[in-house]
Amino acid sequence: MAYDLYVITDETIGRGLSHAELARRAVAGGADAVQLRDKRLSGRKLFDAASEIREVTHDAGALFIVNDRLDVALAVGADGVHLGESDLPIGHARRLAPPGFVIGASVGSVATAVRAREEGADYVALSPTFATGSKDDAGPGHGLAVLSAIRAAVPLPLVAIGGITAGNVSDVIAAGADGVAVISAIVGQEDVTAAARDLRNRIAVAKAGRR
Amino acid sequence: MAYDLYVITDETIGRGLSHAELARRAVAGGADAVQLRDKRLSGRKLFDAASEIREVTHDAGALFIVNDRLDVALAVGADGVHLGESDLPIGHARRLAPPGFVIGASVGSVATAVRAREEGADYVALSPTFATGSKDDAGPGHGLAVLSAIRAAVPLPLVAIGGITAGNVSDVIAAGADGVAVISAIVGQEDVTAAARDLRNRIAVAKAGRR
Ligand code: NI
């Protein structure tokens, strides 16, 4: 599973583009994973959007993760679910999910990352790594020192989310992230595909420099 | 499965009582089924409330149904899920649910009731049967003629929901409902248990008179 460039769709900053169209443009630029996150949508509307993104990501060979709603993820055949602190408990999701189903967890410290792994998470996302305007509930950033500490303590894929830009992505990778999850740095850009391609290149260069 | 008295918890009209406390008082008065419905809650908060209601209903031998969130229903070991028009599609829920898991569907006509049965619903709820102030999205009532028409056409347990009171429950049962689902007629009353007991008695009398 590659999480190098992990794009979270957001219709509210997506210039009128649908979740599926944002996903299509992002994977065209090389996004490895797409997460559908929209707390405003009804179960049915989320299901409909997820069904569309499942097609887009399947055709592109990208991972597809649904935020919070495990039932929607399972119903559309998504690859996994991403769980934040206010979502279903990780352990319960693990018991309901079939083998191979990916469960990602938002964490804010080494302790919560360790616990997420114990409860069955397949990857952890430090959220927010930097302060951000994209997620209303995100708060101040935890910073690269916490990112590196999690890297050292938890043997799971580690994604940085929150405030990642073309300007700081190299530092984030250098600090130990396996990938970065972004909203506005891609979905909020005029040319979504070009923004994805640019970020993906920067990640590849930073990873090459880390070896 | 008995659906005679089916109570939907609602904290917003419950005089400060929690979902679980409302459920406890309702089953103490003889409620056969409890549905947790709260579109405001996060996945985690809904899970927490559902876990509590699962205990209350289990101890009382009452059915426990979660609205919309199949994942939460499965995670807490609820007996079933209730799906409205803006929730997950019935057929997809059926495929994800284990054998014996109850799937209920809101319907508004004979045609939607027939389709719900074809898609795998275990019971149908005519919603709203009468106009109601409890659910913002409910609209005008479909009435007892539609209820009777569904009764004649669809061989599934039939629940009437919306605008049911102590004053009209006998007519609803006489028109062919197997049970009534209520919010304000029980959850909004000063004495929840007494209101449940009264409604349950009226349903029993009406059913006896129907034979
Ligand atoms: Ni929701």
Side-chain angles (χ1 to χ4, degrees):
Chain A
M1 245 54 98
Y3 299 95
D4 292 42
L5 180 56
Y6 183 140
V7 176
I8 302 172
T9 64
D10 187 338
E11 283 183 348
T12 65
I13 62 168
R15 297 158 185 272
L17 301 177
S18 68
H19 285 291
E21 182 57 25
L22 290 167
R24 195 190 65 73
R25 295 185 186 194
V27 298
D32 302 283
V34 172
Q35 179 186 134
L36 170 62
R37 179 182 191 276
D38 195 333
K39 299 282 189 184
R40 305 166 311 164
L41 293 185
S42 68
R44 178 65 65 100
K45 290 219 167 93
L46 195 69
F47 171 86
D48 290 342
S51 299
E52 287 186 75
I53 298 181
R54 173 68 295 184
E55 296 233 357
V56 166
T57 50
H58 182 269
D59 293 350
L63 205 66
F64 176 39
I65 306 284
V66 175
N67 186 283
D68 180 23
R69 296 256 340 206
L70 174 61
D71 47 3
V72 171
L74 294 173
V76 304
D79 299 297
V81 70
H82 186 89
L83 301 174
E85 281 180 12
S86 60
D87 299 329
L88 274 185
I90 298 166
H92 281 87
R94 186 84 276 165
R95 282 193 285 282
L96 294 176
F101 189 82
V102 173
I103 295 180
S106 293
V107 301
S109 64
V110 170
T112 51
V114 167
R115 190 160 65 241
R117 177 166 179 263
E118 288 168 354
E119 292 174 354
D122 296 299
Y123 73 85
V124 292
L126 179 62
S127 174
T129 300
F130 303 120
T132 166
S134 292
K135 282 178 70 179
D136 41 5
D137 52 347
H142 297 288
L144 295 184
V146 172
L147 187 74
S148 295
I150 295 174
R151 168 71 302 149
V154 180
L156 284 180
L158 171 60
V159 176
I161 173 171
I164 315 286
T165 65
N168 63 25
V169 64
S170 301
D171 295 340
V172 170
I173 297 297
D178 295 295
V180 299
V182 294
I183 305 180
S184 55
I186 290 185
V187 168
Q189 303 306 305
E190 181 71 40
D191 187 335
V192 170
T193 301
R197 192 175 292 120
D198 174 61
L199 216 50
R200 188 120 184 13
N201 286 341
R202 289 172 190 267
I203 292 164
V205 169
K207 284 200 168 183
R210 208 166 61 177
R211 281 180 206 118
Chain B
M1 246 52 100
Y3 299 95
D4 292 42
L5 180 56
Y6 183 139
V7 176
I8 303 172
T9 64
D10 186 339
E11 284 184 348
T12 65
I13 61 166
R15 299 157 185 271
L17 301 177
S18 69
H19 285 292
E21 181 57 25
L22 290 167
R24 195 189 64 73
R25 296 185 185 194
V27 298
D32 302 284
V34 172
Q35 180 187 134
L36 170 62
R37 178 181 191 277
D38 195 333
K39 299 281 190 187
R40 308 166 310 166
L41 294 185
S42 68
R44 179 65 64 101
K45 289 219 167 93
L46 196 70
F47 171 86
D48 290 340
S51 299
E52 288 185 74
I53 298 182
R54 174 68 293 183
E55 295 234 356
V56 166
T57 50
H58 182 270
D59 294 349
L63 205 66
F64 176 39
I65 306 285
V66 175
N67 187 283
D68 181 23
R69 294 257 340 208
L70 174 61
D71 47 3
V72 171
L74 294 173
V76 303
D79 299 297
V81 70
H82 186 89
L83 301 174
E85 280 181 13
S86 60
D87 299 329
L88 275 184
I90 297 167
H92 281 86
R94 186 85 275 166
R95 283 193 283 282
L96 294 175
F101 188 82
V102 173
I103 296 180
S106 293
V107 302
S109 64
V110 170
T112 52
V114 167
R115 190 161 65 242
R117 177 166 180 262
E118 288 168 355
E119 291 173 354
D122 296 298
Y123 72 86
V124 291
L126 178 62
S127 174
T129 299
F130 303 119
T132 167
S134 292
K135 282 178 72 180
D136 42 4
D137 51 347
H142 297 288
L144 295 183
V146 173
L147 188 74
S148 295
I150 294 175
R151 168 72 301 152
V154 181
L156 283 181
L158 170 60
V159 176
I161 174 172
I164 316 286
T165 65
N168 62 25
V169 64
S170 300
D171 294 341
V172 171
I173 296 297
D178 294 295
V180 298
V182 294
I183 305 180
S184 55
I186 289 186
V187 167
Q189 303 305 304
E190 180 71 40
D191 187 335
V192 170
T193 300
R197 193 174 293 124
D198 174 62
L199 216 50
R200 186 107 179 33
N201 287 341
R202 289 172 190 267
I203 293 165
V205 168
K207 285 201 168 182
R210 208 166 60 178
R211 281 181 206 116

